[in-house]
Structures are given as structure tokens and as C-alpha cells.
Amino acid sequence: MTVQSTSSLVVTSTPANGVRLISLNRPDKRNALSEPLIRSLLSELSAASSDPEVFSIILTGNGPFFCAGADLNDIAPLDEAGARACRYLEDLCNGFLSVTKPIIAAVNGPALGGGFELALMSDFIMSSDSAYFVLPETKIGLIPGAGGTQRLTAAALKCILLAQPMTPGEAKDAGLVCDVVSPEALIQSCLDIARTFTAENRQSIGFAKKAICRADALCRDDLFERDLYYTSFGTAEKKRGVDDFLAARRKRV
């Protein structure tokens, strides 16, 4: 495995010809999404997308978590105006949409909130049997803001309104996950998919992905979701929920 580049937040490597592996690298923070991490991730996605030697991308997390979602320490001080002024949510969604090469999410552990939405932005989700999926935002006075309410369809009621976790098996039954494998077999299973994308089908795969993303976008209203997400930052429920969660976390440490 050849390491292409390493930063404090994202590590990239080439585990096989034509495959770029991008790993979120904040294991001490459960790979929570800070603005610097998002910027690093977008930079690596853009580099992989423009590299003629890369035909597919695998996204995973270092450590036991895939991604714990937004860093609540960053969210806590934001009101509605502050949330709307942050552009990295739009940039994240647009960044994934701009990648014409297949993205495979290798969900190696819990995918919470924005971490679950990261997986949903990918074209394929492969899950280890140690993972679980949950959109817990309503418990802290918020809602998903990166496509969670739009991409989950029928599964959204349990995940969002009840904020209950979804097991890998339930995610597979809902059609969200391609397969569930052991943690040890996860990256190899993703590589088995990734190797089907080659120089010979690069152009047609890119065209197909653009067409699918276009059709998908016409059926969704991400802007409506995002507007409600920002509005929720102005509520007393959000301030109380985030403050209580962070206070409980500090007590556990």
C-alpha cells in the first residue's frame, strides 16, 4: 500500500491500482466533522477526481468510528445567523456531487449524524458488522442538514423522528448497505467492488453517475431541508439540547 499523502486530518493511500483510499483521521474525536477536516476531505476528493490514474474512491475512518458527525463543540456557539454563514455544509454536499468517479463508503464503525450522511452521499455503502447508523439530531434540537431527510425515504421515520440506531442488517434490508462483512474483510470487500471500475469504463461510469445524480437531485429538496436545519439553530431547544449533551459528556470523562 503506497501512501500518497498524509495530513493531521485525512490520510490517503493507493491500496490497489486505480483505487484511492481516503481515511478520516481524527480518531481521538471519533472522526467528528470539523471545518478543517471537511476542507481536507474536499481537497482529497477533488485531487482523486481529477487524477487520471484513479478510477474509484474508498472512504473510511481511522480508529473504531467511521464518523461521529458534526463536532458539537463547533456547533454549540452557533445561532441561526452563524449557522447560515458557515458555507462548509454546502461545500461538502457540492463536493461529493462534483466527483464523477464512484465513491464507496467503507463504514468500519458507528456512523452518526453527519457521518451517516457522508455514507449516504457515497455511491455504495459497505458495512462491517461492528457498525451502526443513526441520525440523532432531534435529541439535541436539530435536524439532519446534509441530505439525511431526503435520502433515507421510508427508513427516515425511525432514524430521524425517534433518533434510534439502525443495525447493519436493518440498513441492508432497507437497501442502504450493499453488504455486511467482518471488520477484517471490509476494505478487501470494497476493493472487490472498486476493481470493477477501470480505464476501459471510466467515461461511461462518469456519464452514468452524472445522470443518476441529476435525476436524484430533481426528486429531492435539499435546499428546503437545509433551510429548516439552519432555522433549528435559532431555537431554545437546540441550545438546551447541545449544552446538555456536552455537559453530560464532560461528566463521563
Side-chain angles (χ1 to χ4, degrees):
M1 181 183 294
T2 302
V3 174
Q4 303 289 95
S5 64
T6 304
S7 74
S8 61
L9 299 174
V10 174
V11 177
T12 66
S13 60
T14 303
N17 289 338
V19 181
R20 180 68 50 81
L21 175 64
I22 300 176
S23 300
L24 307 180
N25 191 38
R26 288 184 84 198
D28 58 320
K29 300 294 185 182
R30 299 178 173 180
N31 296 323
L33 297 172
S34 63
E35 182 171 3
L37 184 147
I38 290 173
R39 297 299 178 198
S40 295
L41 173 58
L42 289 174
S43 176
E44 295 297 346
L45 283 173
S46 177
S49 184
S50 61
D51 188 336
E53 299 300 316
V54 174
F55 308 126
S56 58
I57 300 163
I58 298 174
L59 175 64
T60 194
N62 282 342
F65 266 70
F66 175 70
C67 178
D71 191 325
L72 292 188
N73 290 299
D74 294 346
I75 281 179
L78 294 179
D79 58 11
E80 181 178 350
R84 290 183 183 276
C86 293
R87 292 293 308 171
Y88 60 85
L89 184 62
E90 285 86 349
D91 292 344
L92 181 64
C93 296
N94 292 335
F96 269 76
L97 284 174
S98 69
V99 178
T100 57
K101 297 169 182 179
I103 303 173
I104 305 165
V107 182
N108 54 300
L112 282 61
F116 190 179
E117 291 177 300
L118 271 188
L120 290 171
M121 291 179 199
S122 304
D123 302 300
F124 303 90
I125 303 175
M126 292 290 290
S127 173
S128 81
D129 53 21
S130 63
Y132 63 85
F133 304 83
V134 61
L135 292 166
E137 286 88 349
T138 57
K139 286 190 173 181
I140 57 171
L142 296 172
I143 67 168
T149 67
Q150 305 295 297
R151 292 184 172 94
L152 274 182
T153 61
L157 287 178
K158 178 181 178 182
C159 283
I160 298 173
L161 300 187
L162 299 179
Q164 291 183 358
M166 179 183 289
T167 67
E170 289 172 330
K172 184 177 180 182
D173 290 343
L176 301 174
V177 166
C178 295
D179 202 1
V180 180
V181 298
S182 70
E184 298 76 18
L186 180 61
I187 295 300
Q188 183 58 53
S189 297
C190 291
L191 286 172
D192 291 341
I193 296 174
R195 286 194 179 99
T196 65
F197 305 112
T198 66
E200 284 69 32
N201 63 8
R202 171 174 49 194
Q203 192 170 46
S204 59
I205 290 292
F207 289 161
K209 182 170 174 179
K210 282 183 177 180
I212 292 167
C213 288
R214 173 66 174 169
D216 191 41
L218 291 174
C219 295
R220 300 196 322 264
D221 195 349
D222 290 353
L223 294 179
F224 182 70
E225 175 199 66
R226 200 168 301 149
D227 185 63
L228 291 174
Y229 171 74
Y230 291 142
T231 300
S232 69
F233 273 78
T235 66
E237 187 176 326
K238 173 265 176 184
K239 177 170 174 35
R240 182 179 63 252
V242 173
D243 288 349
D244 288 350
F245 184 91
L246 290 175
R249 178 192 286 173
R250 286 191 288 270
K251 287 181 180 179
R252 291 195 298 268
V253 174

